[in-house]
Amino acid sequence: DVQLQASGGGLVQAGGSLRLSCAASGFSSDDFGIGWFRQAPGKEREGVACISSIDGATYYGDPVKDRSTISIDNAKNVMYLQMNNLKPEDTGVYFCAIDLHRGCGLGPYLYNVYRWGEGTQVTVSS
């Protein structure tokens, strides 16, 4: 069974950094897309960043694109999101998700989410 385990959230002051991790297991596909979404209270879930496993192509949402780096360790099937210069508006629950059949879709989104991971809370204080 495919499992995604997210970690790395926490409380950080504005201007600080966090590295989120998403450990994926239970699948053998070499061509998949995996990414981060976030949801702030009262807002819809939005795509943050996505990476395609087969070519390493990366995509970012406009609010984070100059402050974030998504990467993947294919040997360990662990995806990382390094976020720098965090802002209070980055506060939310961050979810990782995977599409087992193709890479990233339009921008930082997946064509089809096969599995969502449990969220990890990120809180940025001003």
Side-chain angles (χ1 to χ4, degrees), residues 11-72:
L11 173 64
V12 64
Q13 289 188 334
S17 298
L18 280 177
R19 189 176 80 157
L20 305 182
S21 300
C22 177
S25 62
F27 67 98
S28 60
S29 173
D30 292 328
D31 183 9
F32 61 89
I34 189 166
W36 290 96
F37 294 74
R38 70 185 182 188
Q39 189 163 18
K43 295 188 177 181
E44 293 186 355
R45 193 170 295 187
E46 65 174 347
V48 177
C50 187
I51 185 167
S52 296
S53 68
I54 201 163
D55 60 5
T58 58
Y59 306 87
Y60 298 92
D62 287 340
V64 306
K65 65 181 179 181
D66 296 325
R67 303 182 287 120
S68 301
T69 302
I70 189 170
S71 60
I72 189 168

Side-chain angles (χ1 to χ4, degrees), residues 2 7 15 18 20 25 30-32 34 40-41 48 51 56-57 71 76 79 93 101-102 110 116 122-123 125:
V2 178
S7 60
L18 280 177
L20 305 182
S25 62
D30 292 328
D31 183 9
F32 61 89
I34 189 166
V48 177
I51 185 167
S71 60
K76 298 179 180 179
M79 178 199 39
V93 180
H101 303 295
R102 64 178 83 178
L110 300 170
W116 290 97
V122 172
T123 303
S125 63

Side-chain angles (χ1 to χ4, degrees), residues 85-113:
N85 190 22
L86 284 160
K87 304 176 180 181
E89 51 263 43
D90 293 319
T91 294
V93 180
Y94 283 67
F95 302 87
C96 56
I98 192 167
D99 179 347
L100 292 182
H101 303 295
R102 64 178 83 178
C104 303
L106 181 63
Y109 291 90
L110 300 170
Y111 286 107
N112 288 295
V113 175

